[in-house]
Amino acid sequence: MRTVKLTETVLRDANQSLIATRMTFAQMEPALKALDEAGFYSLECWGGATFDACLRYLDEDPWERLRAIRRACPKTPLQMLLRGQNLLGYRHYPDDAVRLFVRKSVENGISILRVFDALNDVRNIEVAVDETLKCGAHASGAICFTLSPIHTLEHYVATAKEMEALGVQSICIKDMAGIMGPKDVFDIVTAFKQELSVPVVVHTHMTTGLGLMTLQKAVEAGADIVDTAIASFSGGSSQPPTETFAYAMRQQGFRVELDDECLRTVNRHFKALRGELLASGQLNPIVLSTETDALTYQVPGGMLSNLVSQLTAQNQLHRLDEVLAETPKVRAELGYPPLVTPMSQMVGAQATSNVLAGERYKTVSKEVKSYLRGEYGKAPGPVDEALRAQILGDEPPLSGRYADGLEPALPAARAHLGEGATEEDLLSYIAFPAQADEFFARRAQKQRRRLPYQVTAVADGGEGGC
Ligand code: CO
């Protein structure tokens, strides 16, 4: 009997996809013990947008949140999502920051780092993977799935092999937009199982409704681990439901080593939370629905809604069809970048400006210029050379890795925060300087108000089970 392992995403991706990562630690805490007891392969609980959201919106120290989850979940490996050289932000950071970030993530409780690059440029995950391995943690290399003439089965296999050569201990095919169909995943996982020796992980979203079929075919093709979200935080732009998937797998003779009683406890908690979030308007029912437009236009749902809101703001919504026709042209000229952050914003904004200005590339954003210079990494396919020459003139594109030319980040951060700053604070500052500074100021104010003899009560773990 083959075992299928599950990663539970309620604390990170489901949280990010349904409620824009606004779940506070207090809102997750009552479910942590049952989550830990349930028997998941891992709990995805950190990284992605959680770090930014903690500092910017929730007045939480992201590092303290991680330590608190670790204390509450001593049994299950904690997993994070890392954007390679971009860490958790949108620009490239120097290697000293990447290495320290990985080391502190592991020291504070992360056991599995899923590392990806928006362009699938393996050079951009190399340093993060190397440091993960040095820290004795599990490095999982993730490949972005997208639809384009460049993104063939051969492309995915070649990228996976490059990652395997770096020493990653698993390979994930990551479908951010929920556009990977059952046949796509079956072919990719079949090829990975033939060509690779590490376990294969599949990550998708229910956005277009394909998700459960995609996971079914993934497992049939031999996928070892898949990502799901507890029922009350599943569906729509989140992951397929954990309980449903486990039920269907067991019915077909696969072993799923999850404790159903724990799953019920977890779901009861998050179902109540979902009710509160719907009532407060923090959870918009729209994100729970199935949206098949992404299959028609081949752009992710999030990008589509961004285009609509940008055009609406400029009173130009009637030109949406033109922008949607322009988008694939821009993408082709830029060498078919996967439509994932930050490329989706870049391509969408350029297509919009090409249409609204009445002249293609009349204005070009600084991001598109940097991309054409090679500052984000290597374009998956050939870039339109005439366009590159038009925008950059005879400035030669970068040949090496952009981060090779960056000054170390730690000395300046230490100079800014002072010698007494913890390494965690230095990293918060390097990742999001303005938000971190504001957070530190609020924290210092609270500490000044706190009475010296006051101690925080620590709840004891108590009885077993969940
Ligand atoms: Co995702």
Side-chain angles (χ1 to χ4, degrees):
M1 197 189 268
R2 224 181 85 210
T3 300
V4 183
K5 294 177 183 160
L6 274 70
T7 290
E8 171 59 50
T9 67
V10 64
L11 303 178
R12 206 286 300 176
D13 204 352
N15 168 16
Q16 186 168 329
S17 302
L18 297 182
I19 54 166
T21 336
R22 298 298 202 277
M23 198 187 292
T24 63
F25 177 72
Q27 287 171 326
M28 50 182 78
E29 191 184 19
L32 291 179
K33 187 167 162 38
L35 273 169
D36 190 38
E37 300 281 341
F40 286 107
Y41 166 76
S42 63
L43 298 175
E44 196 202 33
C45 64
W46 209 63
T50 61
F51 198 94
D52 188 9
C54 275
L55 291 171
R56 195 186 297 259
Y57 304 113
L58 304 176
D59 200 21
E60 281 186 44
D61 183 339
W63 301 98
E64 177 49 36
R65 174 188 284 198
L66 173 57
R67 289 190 292 270
I69 297 174
R70 174 78 294 170
R71 283 194 295 272
C73 302
K75 294 181 182 168
T76 313
L78 301 184
Q79 183 173 318
M80 74 174 290
L81 181 69
L82 192 75
R83 298 187 186 114
Q85 205 72 28
N86 294 2
L87 295 176
L88 307 173
Y90 305 106
R91 61 186 180 88
H92 278 234
Y93 294 95
D95 291 342
D96 66 333
V98 173
R99 287 194 185 275
L100 186 61
F101 201 97
V102 168
R103 184 145 34 89
K104 298 314 280 188
S105 301
V106 175
E107 280 177 19
N108 282 282
I110 292 293
S111 308
I112 302 173
L113 285 94
R114 180 181 291 170
V115 191
F116 79 102
D117 174 65
L119 294 173
N120 290 334
D121 183 341
V122 174
R123 296 173 306 170
N124 289 338
I125 71 162
E126 208 174 314
V127 173
V129 166
D130 180 64
E131 191 64 31
T132 301
L133 299 176
K134 282 189 178 135
C135 293
H138 177 117
S140 186
I143 303 170
C144 297
F145 176 85
T146 189
L147 296 164
S148 94
I150 299 295
H151 293 86
T152 58
L153 193 55
E154 292 69 35
H155 167 89
Y156 292 122
V157 170
T159 309
K161 282 189 161 173
E162 265 186 79
M163 288 184 177
E164 200 179 35
L166 294 183
V168 299
Q169 292 122 315
S170 61
I171 291 278
C172 172
I173 182 81
K174 174 178 157 64
D175 171 27
M176 311 72 61
I179 54 173
M180 179 165 62
K183 174 159 169 43
D184 298 319
V185 83
F186 189 84
D187 293 347
I188 292 171
V189 174
T190 302
F192 281 6
K193 293 303 287 182
Q194 276 163 8
E195 305 278 340
L196 309 173
S197 55
V198 294
V200 175
V201 186
V202 175
H203 175 86
T204 188
H205 289 252
M206 282 296 279
T207 324
T208 65
L210 288 171
L212 277 169
M213 284 182 278
T214 297
L215 291 192
Q216 163 81 38
K217 296 303 279 186
V219 171
E220 283 177 23
D224 302 275
I225 301 141
V226 301
D227 290 1
T228 58
I230 200 78
S232 48
F233 266 72
S234 71
S237 51
S238 176
Q239 269 70 53
T242 303
E243 300 92 316
T244 316
F245 181 72
Y247 180 92
M249 286 299 108
R250 284 170 179 157
Q251 194 175 62
Q252 296 170 87
F254 292 97
R255 184 183 290 118
V256 180
E257 290 169 335
L258 289 177
D259 182 321
D260 294 337
E261 190 49 45
C262 288
L263 295 186
R264 281 191 284 276
T265 305
V266 172
N267 192 46
R268 252 195 314 275
H269 169 77
F270 285 109
K271 197 172 179 179
L273 178 62
R274 182 182 64 176
E276 289 167 25
L277 295 168
L278 276 168
S280 70
Q282 275 182 291
L283 171 57
N284 184 338
I286 283 179
V287 300
L288 297 171
S289 64
T290 304
E291 292 288 348
T292 51
D293 281 352
L295 299 175
T296 311
Y297 300 115
Q298 307 216 329
V299 303
M303 180 176 169
L304 199 61
S305 53
N306 268 343
L307 289 177
V308 168
S309 66
Q310 277 164 22
L311 288 171
T312 308
Q314 299 178 65
N315 237 338
Q316 298 287 330
L317 190 58
H318 58 284
R319 307 199 72 177
L320 179 63
D321 283 346
E322 289 169 78
V323 173
L324 285 172
E326 175 69 6
T327 301
K329 290 183 202 157
V330 170
R331 188 177 176 223
E333 284 155 351
L334 296 182
Y336 295 103
L339 294 176
V340 55
T341 302
M343 305 314 304
S344 48
Q345 289 85 342
M346 228 185 271
V347 171
Q350 191 61 53
T352 306
S353 117
N354 286 1
V355 168
L356 297 188
E359 185 188 328
R360 308 190 73 233
Y361 299 100
K362 188 177 178 190
T363 51
V364 176
S365 67
K366 126 176 161 294
E367 287 80 13
V368 169
K369 283 181 191 156
S370 309
Y371 171 83
L372 288 171
R373 273 188 216 111
E375 292 179 8
Y376 288 82
K378 195 173 171 299
V383 166
D384 187 313
E385 280 310 323
L387 179 68
R388 177 154 30 206
Q390 180 197 322
I391 292 170
L392 298 184
D394 40 16
E395 188 185 334
L398 207 73
S399 56
R401 201 179 59 112
Y402 179 60
D404 286 336
L406 295 176
E407 290 294 319
L410 289 166
R414 203 170 277 291
H416 177 80
L417 293 180
E419 282 304 316
T422 64
E423 289 180 313
E424 284 81 354
D425 279 355
L426 293 180
L427 291 165
S428 299
Y429 174 76
I430 290 168
F432 299 100
Q435 289 72 30
D437 269 342
E438 284 169 28
F439 170 77
F440 297 149
R442 288 193 300 269
R443 184 178 61 185
Q445 212 170 27
K446 276 187 213 161
Q447 277 164 354
R448 276 196 297 275
R449 279 203 302 263
R450 192 175 294 165
L451 297 172
Y453 52 80
Q454 200 172 10
V455 287
T456 317
V458 180
D460 71 321
E463 68 279 42
C466 55

